[in-house]
Amino acid sequence: MKKTENTYSRRSFLKVSSLTGGGFMLGISWMASAKPEEKLAVMEVEPIWQELTSYIKITPENVIKIYSPNPEFGQNVMTSMPMLIAEELDVDFKSIIVEQASYNPALFNRQFTGGSQSIRSAWKLLRTAGASARQMILTAASQAWNVPVSELTTSKGQVKHASSGKTGSYGSFSTAASKLPVPKDIVLKANKGFRLLGTPQKNVEGTKIVHGKPLFGMDYTEAGMLIAMTERPPAFGMRLKSFDATAAKKMPGIVDVFTIQVYEPNQKLAMFDTRSFNEVIAVVGKTTWDVMNARKKLNVVWENAPETKEIVNNRETIVPGGLESSAKHYADMLAMDKKPGRVERKDGEPEKAFEAAKHIIERTYTAPFLAHNIMEPTNTFAHFQGNKVRFVAPIQGPDFIANTIATRLGIPKENIEINLARMGGGFGRRAYGHYMVEAALISKQANAPIKLVYSREDDVSGGIYRPTYQLTYRAAFDENKRLTAIHIKGGGIPESPLHANRFPAGALDNYLAESWSIPSNITIGAFRAPRSNFNAAAEQSFLDEISEYMGKDPIAFRLELLQRAKDKPVGKNNDYDASRYMGVLELVRDKSGWGKPENANKKRGVAAYFCHNSYAAQVIDLHVKDGQVIVDHVISAVDCGVVVNPEGAKNMAEGAAIDGIGNALFGNLTFTEGRTDQKNFDTYRMIRHHEAPKKIDVHFVANEVDPTGLGEPPFPPIFGAMANAIYQATGKRLYKQPFGNQIG
């Protein structure tokens, strides 16, 4: 008999039986309890997947697959997003297969990972997908059994009819259910009493990662694939003048050397587009080693680039010429601070309050450029054929770059296929997909599938960076040391970090916020908690210092200001919820034993901050030994609404603490004549394993608020808590990051 997709061979039956050690009934029992991968492994035929919404597929054998739509770079959305579906679908999470979806805007909404928005934006969407599929299965079961839907219940992928005793797997109804229309007006569960959400679940790809399975972009390979690398100007403010590739082309394994123009000269740039070094030299060969060696043989002449104008997000931007240096950056920022800024917010009469002040505290805080230093260097696979292009790419926002690729290559957007590879880190760096444009252009000219690879030095010296910032805080006090006004003036190169409507705005009758910026040709972009990562450091350090002047406990002082913002808020544009802000401060106070006699000798600092719709507070205990900061304990409190997966959420907050401590102590990218002084990890200092905190405790505010983001909010307060704790340990206030070289 010819085997069809609906027929199982005797051999596959025997496979099942042999695994169970018994007869047919035991075989069926094994299929019911087997892991989904095991079920698929014993099938000699391709499984028959029935689609119930674009996120869910089920086989008649009750193998359930859930697609995770958003790119994954370690924040665990590939676990937490399917959990949203599984909760409403009512299946056992351990019995499902989770698969990374490819880029498909027709099927999936907002396939973007960034801004701490993945769970927040998918909270209702993915739960609705799960609830809709469950309803379709119930309808199919009611029709098969001729009973009302209201008499049916579900549990762990099974449908039950209590009065008749009938039960059936979702798989047994999947074919019929797939033919039904997707229901409308689905009622979701209330934000409490969840079976799955709120329970800790391990990373669905954890085993694959530990076993070294090829999940990442750097792992990808296919027959006929060539390797490409690009040679870019050695400094920002320079461009290609001419080159001679004669020697490079003679190197072993080299296929071709040519230039590409990443963007057309007058092409309008959209969000997450960046010109960086626009005209680059592509070296294409058989292996990475071949290409790296050939690149060294290029004879290139660079020249200074003139000032240019660009259209970014429909706004004209000036890109100055010249070779920039960090020493001049800091001098220019100090000079700008003395000039009037753009008034972003003004409450009351702050000028009069400062004129009448009996005492004024003024402090200026600065921070350097920072490199993302993603552990997996930038890479992408591209194969351009005809008027189509296929990618395997580690990219945070495929939809953004797909528009740019379509424009640059002159092909329809629907002819772009992007398979999403797991990313070895992102933090905003992989939101900028210019490397995908480069790879597509190289593939087109080489007429071959290629994998573009950046070296570590390429990544560090070629952008994208967190800008360099400066904030000056001034506080006015009356004769009783009562705070009467605050004035904030902030700017940076090339953007200002100021968030004028965040705390302490709304808590003071007299408040002034001004901003400024200085143009630059250094390419900047999103870096974990953009702008907030510096704002929190300056703001929370300053609040700590003025609370000391006023003779008040640092936490009590913050709570006092927030209580004022809650009871009698000043202004109508305050970004934050004072009650939730107070909640994390109270939680971290209680969990850390702040102010308790047994902790009196600990050198500890506190900070709290609101960003990306969530609230976080941290207390850090540390000591200094031989001029080195040793972090003993981090206590973190977070209010991000409903916590979907406590296991992943805890990991995120722990990672934020370690990342923040490392950047606060060591993060520093400097420039000399347009060149980065740091090229690799031997000169760009990263936190080491032995420098991680000895202990990290994470606590979440329990509430029923819809999820409000977690990837970024626990990161910014760490900087301020570190500065405040270092002060307690050394008696020295620190105003310039990084802190590590100022200890001792």
Side-chain angles (χ1 to χ4, degrees):
M1 181 178 67
K2 182 180 178 181
K3 185 169 67 176
T4 68
E5 63 178 11
N6 295 306
T7 306
Y8 291 94
S9 70
R10 179 175 179 274
R11 185 161 170 251
S12 31
F13 167 76
L14 290 174
K15 274 189 178 180
V16 178
S17 298
S18 65
L19 284 167
T20 63
F24 180 73
M25 289 304 293
L26 287 174
I28 295 298
S29 174
W30 178 87
M31 283 292 281
S33 61
K35 294 180 179 179
E37 292 85 355
E38 293 172 338
K39 294 180 183 180
L40 293 179
V42 300
M43 297 180 192
E44 286 199 340
V45 293
E46 285 295 317
I48 308 166
W49 293 106
Q50 303 296 341
E51 185 173 296
L52 283 74
T53 79
S54 56
Y55 297 93
I56 304 161
K57 288 183 178 180
I58 304 176
T59 73
E61 296 75 29
N62 211 34
V63 179
I64 300 171
K65 181 188 291 185
I66 295 179
Y67 287 95
S68 181
N70 286 29
E72 172 68 75
F73 61 81
Q75 76 287 36
N76 222 13
V77 292
M78 200 170 170
T79 302
S80 53
M81 296 186 90
M83 286 177 68
L84 302 181
I85 297 172
E87 174 67 53
E88 298 286 351
L89 184 57
D90 201 5
V91 294
D92 180 3
F93 192 67
K94 292 181 174 61
S95 71
I96 66 171
I97 295 172
V98 174
E99 189 171 302
Q100 175 67 64
S102 295
Y103 168 63
N104 192 331
L107 296 180
F108 306 110
N109 289 4
R110 197 186 180 276
Q111 289 184 273
F112 174 67
T113 301
S116 300
Q117 295 297 300
S118 292
I119 295 300
R120 182 172 182 255
S121 63
W123 175 242
K124 292 184 179 178
L125 174 69
L126 295 189
R127 290 170 61 210
T128 299
S132 298
R134 176 179 174 273
Q135 186 63 40
M136 293 162 73
I137 290 167
L138 285 171
T139 301
S142 74
Q143 293 173 354
W145 292 342
N146 196 27
V147 297
V149 170
S150 59
E151 294 181 8
L152 300 176
T153 59
T154 60
S155 177
K156 296 184 177 181
Q158 299 287 321
V159 182
K160 298 180 181 179
H161 185 241
S163 60
S164 68
K166 291 181 178 180
T167 63
S169 70
Y170 282 10
S172 63
F173 302 112
S174 61
T175 300
S178 68
K179 298 175 183 178
L180 297 172
V182 177
K184 298 179 180 179
D185 302 321
I186 287 291
V187 177
L188 302 177
K189 297 178 181 179
N191 285 6
K192 58 183 178 181
F194 293 121
R195 295 182 183 180
L196 175 62
L197 302 186
T199 64
Q201 301 296 323
K202 296 295 183 183
N203 186 330
V204 295
E205 290 204 308
T207 301
K208 295 178 183 177
I209 294 169
V210 171
H211 288 177
K213 298 296 182 182
L215 307 174
F216 299 89
M218 285 292 281
D219 296 326
Y220 186 77
T221 186
E222 67 174 56
M225 183 185 81
L226 300 175
I227 299 296
M229 299 184 79
T230 56
E231 183 76 3
R232 296 173 288 176
F236 289 91
M238 299 190 80
R239 67 182 181 183
L240 177 65
K241 182 177 181 180
S242 64
F243 77 101
D244 182 355
T246 303
K249 288 182 177 181
K250 292 179 180 178
M251 293 291 288
I254 297 305
V255 175
D256 203 355
V257 180
F258 49 82
T259 62
I260 58 169
Q261 192 85 16
V262 184
Y263 299 105
E264 296 286 5
N266 297 318
Q267 183 176 338
K268 292 183 179 180
L269 303 185
M271 182 180 291
F272 300 118
D273 284 342
T274 174
R275 241 175 243 286
S276 189
F277 300 120
N278 195 37
E279 186 177 18
V280 299
I281 305 168
V283 181
V284 182
K286 294 180 179 180
T287 70
T288 307
W289 185 246
D290 290 339
V291 172
M292 290 179 75
N293 284 326
R295 199 166 62 150
K296 296 174 184 177
K297 297 294 184 179
L298 291 171
N299 184 6
V300 188
V301 178
W302 309 101
E303 64 180 359
N304 290 349
E307 178 181 293
T308 60
K309 294 181 180 180
E310 291 182 351
I311 305 296
V312 182
N313 284 335
N314 296 317
R315 294 177 59 185
E316 186 174 89
T317 302
I318 301 296
V319 180
L323 304 177
E324 302 179 19
S325 298
S326 293
K328 189 171 187 304
H329 285 160
Y330 285 112
D332 288 347
M333 289 195 296
L334 287 172
M336 284 295 292
D337 190 51
K338 301 182 186 305
K339 301 176 182 179
R342 298 184 299 273
V343 175
E344 306 291 350
R345 174 165 171 161
K346 181 178 177 180
D347 296 327
E349 298 179 312
E351 295 89 350
K352 290 185 178 180
F354 277 97
E355 288 175 6
K358 297 301 181 182
H359 184 70
I360 294 174
I361 295 177
E362 179 175 325
R363 300 290 183 263
T364 296
Y365 303 85
T366 59
F369 285 96
L370 293 178
H372 292 84
N373 286 320
I374 47 180
M375 289 296 100
E376 176 198 23
T378 299
N379 67 89
T380 195
F381 168 87
H383 191 187
F384 185 93
Q385 290 178 295
N387 69 338
K388 296 182 179 181
V389 62
R390 173 171 58 91
F391 294 95
V392 178
I395 180 73
Q396 290 181 232
D399 197 49
F400 293 107
I401 198 61
N403 292 318
T404 301
I405 292 167
T407 300
R408 179 63 184 89
L409 296 179
I411 62 175
K413 186 178 177 181
E414 56 268 23
N415 286 5
I416 299 171
E417 176 186 343
I418 304 176
N419 299 289
L420 300 173
R422 188 180 183 91
M423 291 172 271
F427 309 109
R429 173 63 184 90
R430 286 191 164 107
Y432 302 86
H434 55 92
Y435 51 93
M436 292 179 65
V437 182
E438 293 174 22
L441 291 170
I442 295 170
S443 174
K444 181 180 180 180
Q445 187 152 336
N447 194 28
I450 67 102
K451 180 160 71 176
L452 174 68
V453 178
Y454 283 22
S455 69
R456 175 64 59 193
E457 289 80 4
D458 292 337
D459 255 343
V460 175
S461 63
I464 310 299
Y465 307 122
R466 196 282 301 270
T468 182
Y469 291 129
Q470 177 176 293
L471 278 168
T472 295
Y473 274 77
R474 299 170 66 225
F477 302 90
D478 65 13
E479 62 275 7
N480 298 315
K481 294 187 176 182
R482 186 176 68 89
L483 178 64
T484 58
I486 279 184
H487 174 205
I488 309 170
K489 183 187 286 186
I493 300 173
E495 67 171 18
S496 171
L498 187 69
H499 286 286
N501 296 317
R502 290 187 183 172
F503 181 75
L508 299 158
D509 291 332
N510 301 302
Y511 172 85
L512 177 62
E514 298 178 273
S515 69
W516 50 265
S517 60
I518 300 172
S520 172
N521 55 37
I522 296 172
T523 308
I524 60 98
F527 186 103
R528 193 174 192 173
R531 295 171 292 281
S532 297
N533 53 52
F534 175 63
N535 278 336
E539 172 198 294
Q540 293 295 304
S541 296
F542 189 68
L543 290 178
D544 211 70
E545 187 164 353
I546 64 175
S547 69
E548 183 182 46
Y549 169 75
M550 297 168 73
K552 295 186 176 184
D553 173 82
I555 292 182
F557 173 60
R558 288 168 172 82
L559 290 172
E560 177 186 317
L561 288 175
L562 287 163
Q563 188 68 52
R564 192 183 307 172
K566 177 183 176 182
D567 295 341
K568 295 181 179 179
V570 178
K572 298 180 180 179
N573 298 316
N574 303 323
D575 289 342
Y576 59 93
D577 180 327
S579 295
R580 292 182 69 186
Y581 215 139
M582 294 172 70
V584 291
L585 273 166
E586 291 166 344
L587 182 60
V588 82
R589 176 196 63 194
D590 297 343
K591 294 297 183 180
S592 67
W594 184 273
K596 299 291 185 181
E598 60 268 26
N599 295 319
N601 294 325
K602 291 182 178 179
K603 308 306 179 184
R604 49 180 25 187
V606 65
Y609 199 69
F610 157 79
C611 72
H612 295 83
N613 308 290
S614 292
Y615 303 78
Q618 280 118 2
V619 167
I620 291 180
D621 297 340
L622 57 76
H623 68 279
V624 175
K625 182 179 180 180
D626 299 328
Q628 302 297 312
V629 173
I630 298 171
V631 180
D632 301 302
H633 196 184
V634 177
I635 304 95
S636 183
V638 183
D639 181 354
C640 58
V642 173
V643 178
V644 173
N645 180 13
E647 178 84 7
K650 179 173 174 283
N651 291 344
M652 292 258 275
E654 290 171 338
I658 296 169
D659 193 14
I661 290 167
N663 278 290
L665 289 176
F666 311 118
N668 191 26
L669 186 75
T670 58
F671 293 85
T672 300
E673 294 296 309
R675 290 171 167 83
T676 59
D677 298 316
Q678 298 77 23
K679 309 293 183 186
N680 207 321
F681 293 148
D682 59 333
T683 50
Y684 193 106
R685 182 74 158 84
M686 301 283 286
I687 191 170
R688 313 298 189 202
H689 281 107
H690 72 277
E691 294 166 333
K694 295 179 180 178
K695 185 179 181 182
I696 303 175
D697 289 322
V698 181
H699 307 276
F700 294 96
V701 175
N703 59 37
E704 297 171 14
V705 177
D706 286 357
T708 53
L710 183 57
E712 284 149 302
F715 181 64
I718 284 289
F719 292 80
M722 282 292 292
N724 296 334
I726 289 170
Y727 169 69
Q728 293 299 324
T730 65
K732 182 180 180 181
R733 295 277 183 190
L734 301 179
Y735 304 102
K736 183 177 182 178
Q737 296 176 30
F739 303 142
N741 56 10
Q742 303 174 62
I743 310 299

Coordinates of all heavy atoms in Angstrom, one line a residue, residues 184-234:
K184 N -14.9 36.4 16.8 CA -14.8 37.8 17.3 C -15.3 38.0 18.7 O -16.0 37.2 19.2 CB -15.5 38.7 16.3 CG -15.0 38.7 14.9 CD -15.8 39.6 14.0 CE -15.3 39.5 12.5 NZ -16.0 40.4 11.6
D185 N -14.9 39.1 19.3 CA -15.4 39.5 20.6 C -15.1 38.4 21.6 O -15.9 38.0 22.4 CB -16.9 39.7 20.6 CG -17.3 40.9 19.6 OD1 -16.6 41.8 19.5 OD2 -18.3 40.7 18.9
I186 N -13.9 37.9 21.6 CA -13.4 36.9 22.6 C -13.2 37.6 23.9 O -12.7 38.7 24.1 CB -12.1 36.3 22.1 CG1 -12.3 35.4 20.9 CG2 -11.4 35.6 23.2 CD1 -13.1 34.1 21.3
V187 N -13.7 36.9 25.0 CA -13.5 37.4 26.4 C -12.2 36.8 26.9 O -12.1 35.6 27.0 CB -14.7 37.1 27.2 CG1 -14.5 37.6 28.7 CG2 -16.0 37.8 26.6
L188 N -11.3 37.6 27.4 CA -10.1 37.1 28.0 C -10.2 37.0 29.5 O -11.1 37.6 30.1 CB -8.9 38.0 27.7 CG -8.6 38.3 26.2 CD1 -7.5 39.3 26.0 CD2 -8.3 37.0 25.5
K189 N -9.3 36.2 30.1 CA -9.3 36.0 31.5 C -9.0 37.4 32.2 O -8.3 38.2 31.6 CB -8.3 35.0 31.9 CG -8.6 33.6 31.4 CD -7.5 32.6 31.8 CE -7.7 31.2 31.3 NZ -6.6 30.3 31.7
A190 N -9.5 37.5 33.4 CA -9.1 38.7 34.2 C -7.6 38.6 34.6 O -7.0 37.5 34.5 CB -9.9 38.8 35.4
N191 N -7.0 39.7 35.0 CA -5.6 39.7 35.3 C -5.3 39.1 36.7 O -4.5 39.6 37.5 CB -5.0 41.1 35.2 CG -4.8 41.6 33.8 OD1 -5.2 40.9 32.9 ND2 -4.3 42.8 33.6
K192 N -5.9 38.0 36.9 CA -5.6 37.2 38.2 C -6.1 35.8 38.0 O -6.9 35.5 37.1 CB -6.4 37.9 39.4 CG -7.9 38.0 39.2 CD -8.5 38.8 40.4 CE -10.0 38.9 40.2 NZ -10.6 39.7 41.3
G193 N -5.6 35.0 38.9 CA -6.1 33.6 38.8 C -5.6 32.8 37.6 O -6.2 31.8 37.2
F194 N -4.5 33.3 37.0 CA -3.9 32.5 35.9 C -3.4 31.2 36.3 O -2.9 31.0 37.4 CB -2.8 33.4 35.2 CG -3.2 34.6 34.6 CD1 -2.7 35.9 35.0 CD2 -4.1 34.6 33.5 CE1 -3.1 37.0 34.3 CE2 -4.5 35.8 32.9 CZ -4.0 37.0 33.3
R195 N -3.4 30.2 35.4 CA -2.8 28.9 35.7 C -1.3 28.9 35.3 O -0.5 28.3 36.0 CB -3.5 27.8 34.9 CG -5.0 27.6 35.3 CD -5.6 26.5 34.5 NE -7.0 26.3 34.8 CZ -7.8 25.4 34.2 NH1 -7.3 24.6 33.3 NH2 -9.1 25.3 34.5
L196 N -1.0 29.5 34.2 CA 0.4 29.5 33.7 C 1.1 30.8 34.0 O 2.3 30.8 34.5 CB 0.4 29.2 32.2 CG 1.7 29.2 31.5 CD1 2.7 28.2 32.1 CD2 1.6 29.0 30.0
L197 N 0.5 31.9 33.6 CA 1.2 33.2 33.8 C 1.5 33.4 35.3 O 0.6 33.2 36.1 CB 0.3 34.3 33.2 CG 0.0 34.2 31.7 CD1 -0.7 35.4 31.3 CD2 1.2 33.9 30.9
G198 N 2.7 33.9 35.5 CA 3.0 34.1 36.9 C 3.8 32.9 37.5 O 4.2 32.9 38.7
T199 N 3.9 31.8 36.8 CA 4.7 30.6 37.2 C 6.0 30.6 36.5 O 6.1 30.9 35.3 CB 3.9 29.3 37.0 OG1 3.8 29.1 35.5 CG2 2.6 29.3 37.6
P200 N 7.1 30.2 37.2 CA 8.4 30.3 36.6 C 8.6 29.2 35.5 O 8.3 28.0 35.8 CB 9.4 30.0 37.8 CG 8.6 29.3 38.8 CD 7.2 29.8 38.6
Q201 N 9.0 29.6 34.3 CA 9.2 28.6 33.2 C 10.7 28.8 32.7 O 11.1 29.9 32.5 CB 8.2 28.9 32.1 CG 6.8 28.7 32.5 CD 6.4 27.3 33.0 OE1 6.9 26.3 32.4 NE2 5.6 27.2 34.0
K202 N 11.3 27.7 32.5 CA 12.7 27.7 32.0 C 12.7 28.2 30.5 O 11.7 28.0 29.8 CB 13.4 26.4 32.1 CG 13.6 25.9 33.5 CD 14.5 26.8 34.3 CE 14.8 26.3 35.7 NZ 15.7 27.2 36.5
N203 N 13.8 28.7 30.1 CA 14.0 29.2 28.7 C 13.8 28.0 27.7 O 14.4 26.9 27.9 CB 15.4 29.7 28.5 CG 15.7 30.3 27.2 OD1 15.2 29.9 26.2 ND2 16.7 31.2 27.2
V204 N 12.8 28.2 26.8 CA 12.5 27.0 25.9 C 13.7 26.6 25.0 O 13.6 25.5 24.5 CB 11.3 27.4 25.0 CG1 10.0 27.6 25.9 CG2 11.5 28.6 24.2
E205 N 14.7 27.5 24.9 CA 15.8 27.1 24.1 C 17.1 26.9 24.9 O 18.2 26.8 24.4 CB 16.1 28.2 23.0 CG 15.1 28.3 21.9 CD 15.6 28.9 20.7 OE1 16.2 30.0 20.7 OE2 15.4 28.3 19.6
G206 N 16.9 26.8 26.2 CA 18.0 26.7 27.1 C 18.8 25.5 26.8 O 20.1 25.5 26.8
T207 N 18.2 24.3 26.6 CA 18.9 23.1 26.4 C 19.7 23.2 25.0 O 20.9 22.8 25.0 CB 18.0 21.9 26.3 OG1 17.3 21.8 27.5 CG2 18.7 20.6 26.0
K208 N 19.1 23.8 24.0 CA 19.8 23.9 22.7 C 21.0 24.9 22.9 O 22.0 24.6 22.3 CB 18.8 24.5 21.7 CG 17.6 23.6 21.4 CD 16.7 24.3 20.4 CE 15.5 23.5 20.1 NZ 14.5 24.2 19.1
I209 N 20.9 25.9 23.7 CA 22.0 26.8 23.9 C 23.1 26.1 24.6 O 24.3 26.2 24.1 CB 21.5 28.1 24.7 CG1 20.5 28.9 23.8 CG2 22.7 28.9 25.0 CD1 19.8 30.0 24.6
V210 N 22.8 25.4 25.6 CA 23.9 24.7 26.4 C 24.6 23.6 25.5 O 25.8 23.4 25.6 CB 23.2 24.0 27.6 CG1 24.3 23.1 28.3 CG2 22.8 25.1 28.6
H211 N 23.8 23.0 24.6 CA 24.4 21.9 23.8 C 25.0 22.5 22.5 O 25.5 21.8 21.7 CB 23.3 21.0 23.4 CG 22.8 20.1 24.5 ND1 21.8 19.2 24.4 CD2 23.3 20.0 25.8 CE1 21.7 18.5 25.6 NE2 22.5 19.0 26.4
G212 N 25.0 23.8 22.4 CA 25.7 24.5 21.2 C 25.0 24.3 19.9 O 25.7 24.2 18.9
K213 N 23.7 24.2 19.9 CA 23.0 24.0 18.7 C 23.1 25.3 17.8 O 23.2 26.4 18.4 CB 21.5 23.7 18.9 CG 21.2 22.4 19.7 CD 21.7 21.2 18.9 CE 21.4 19.9 19.6 NZ 21.9 18.7 18.9
P214 N 23.0 25.2 16.5 CA 23.2 26.4 15.6 C 22.0 27.3 15.6 O 21.1 27.1 14.7 CB 23.5 25.8 14.3 CG 22.8 24.4 14.3 CD 22.9 23.9 15.7
L215 N 21.9 28.2 16.5 CA 20.7 29.0 16.6 C 21.0 30.5 16.2 O 20.1 31.2 15.8 CB 20.2 29.1 18.1 CG 19.9 27.8 18.8 CD1 19.6 28.0 20.3 CD2 18.8 27.0 18.1
F216 N 22.2 30.9 16.3 CA 22.6 32.3 16.0 C 23.0 32.5 14.6 O 23.3 31.6 13.8 CB 23.8 32.6 17.0 CG 23.5 32.5 18.4 CD1 23.7 31.3 19.1 CD2 23.0 33.5 19.1 CE1 23.4 31.1 20.4 CE2 22.6 33.4 20.5 CZ 22.9 32.2 21.1
G217 N 23.0 33.8 14.2 CA 23.3 34.2 12.9 C 24.7 33.7 12.5 O 25.0 33.3 11.4
M218 N 25.7 33.8 13.4 CA 27.0 33.4 13.1 C 27.1 31.9 12.8 O 28.1 31.4 12.2 CB 28.0 33.7 14.3 CG 28.3 35.2 14.4 SD 29.3 35.8 13.0 CE 30.9 35.3 13.5
D219 N 26.1 31.1 13.3 CA 26.2 29.7 13.1 C 25.7 29.3 11.7 O 26.0 28.2 11.2 CB 25.2 29.0 14.1 CG 25.6 29.1 15.5 OD1 26.8 29.1 15.8 OD2 24.7 29.2 16.4
Y220 N 25.0 30.2 11.0 CA 24.3 29.8 9.8 C 25.3 29.6 8.6 O 26.3 30.3 8.4 CB 23.3 30.8 9.4 CG 22.5 30.4 8.2 CD1 21.5 29.5 8.3 CD2 22.8 30.8 6.9 CE1 20.7 29.0 7.2 CE2 22.1 30.4 5.8 CZ 21.0 29.5 6.0 OH 20.3 29.0 4.9
T221 N 25.1 28.5 7.9 CA 25.9 28.2 6.7 C 25.0 27.5 5.7 O 24.0 26.8 6.1 CB 27.1 27.4 7.0 OG1 27.9 27.3 5.9 CG2 26.8 26.0 7.6
E222 N 25.3 27.6 4.4 CA 24.7 26.8 3.4 C 25.6 26.6 2.2 O 26.6 27.3 2.1 CB 23.3 27.4 3.0 CG 23.4 28.7 2.2 CD 22.0 29.1 1.7 OE1 21.1 29.3 2.5 OE2 21.9 29.4 0.5
A223 N 25.3 25.6 1.4 CA 26.2 25.3 0.2 C 26.4 26.5 -0.7 O 25.4 27.2 -1.0 CB 25.6 24.1 -0.6
G224 N 27.6 26.7 -1.1 CA 27.9 27.8 -2.0 C 28.1 29.2 -1.4 O 28.3 30.2 -2.1
M225 N 27.9 29.2 0.0 CA 28.0 30.5 0.6 C 29.4 31.1 0.7 O 30.4 30.3 1.0 CB 27.4 30.4 2.1 CG 27.4 31.6 2.9 SD 26.9 31.3 4.6 CE 28.4 30.8 5.3
L226 N 29.6 32.3 0.4 CA 30.8 33.0 0.5 C 30.8 33.9 1.8 O 29.8 34.2 2.3 CB 31.1 33.9 -0.7 CG 31.2 33.1 -2.0 CD1 31.4 34.1 -3.2 CD2 32.3 32.1 -2.0
I227 N 32.0 34.3 2.2 CA 32.2 35.2 3.3 C 32.5 36.6 2.9 O 33.4 36.7 1.9 CB 33.2 34.7 4.3 CG1 32.8 33.3 4.9 CG2 33.4 35.7 5.5 CD1 31.6 33.3 5.7
A228 N 32.0 37.6 3.5 CA 32.3 39.0 3.1 C 32.6 39.8 4.4 O 32.0 39.6 5.4 CB 31.1 39.6 2.3
M229 N 33.5 40.7 4.2 CA 33.8 41.7 5.3 C 34.0 43.0 4.6 O 34.2 43.1 3.3 CB 35.1 41.4 6.1 CG 35.0 40.0 6.8 SD 36.4 39.7 7.9 CE 36.0 40.7 9.3
T230 N 33.8 44.1 5.3 CA 33.9 45.4 4.7 C 35.0 46.2 5.3 O 35.3 46.1 6.5 CB 32.6 46.2 4.8 OG1 32.2 46.3 6.2 CG2 31.5 45.5 4.0
E231 N 35.7 47.0 4.5 CA 36.7 47.9 5.0 C 36.1 49.3 5.0 O 35.6 49.8 4.0 CB 37.9 47.9 4.1 CG 39.1 48.8 4.6 CD 39.8 48.2 5.8 OE1 39.5 47.1 6.2 OE2 40.7 48.9 6.3
R232 N 36.1 50.0 6.2 CA 35.4 51.3 6.3 C 36.5 52.3 6.7 O 37.5 51.9 7.2 CB 34.3 51.2 7.3 CG 33.2 50.2 6.9 CD 32.2 50.0 8.0 NE 32.7 49.2 9.1 CZ 32.0 48.9 10.2 NH1 30.8 49.4 10.3 NH2 32.5 48.1 11.1
P233 N 36.1 53.6 6.6 CA 37.1 54.6 7.0 C 37.5 54.4 8.5 O 36.8 54.0 9.3 CB 36.3 55.9 6.9 CG 35.3 55.6 5.8 CD 34.9 54.2 6.0
P234 N 38.8 54.7 8.7 CA 39.3 54.5 10.1 C 38.9 55.5 11.1 O 39.2 55.4 12.3 CB 40.8 54.6 9.9 CG 41.0 55.6 8.7 CD 39.8 55.3 7.8

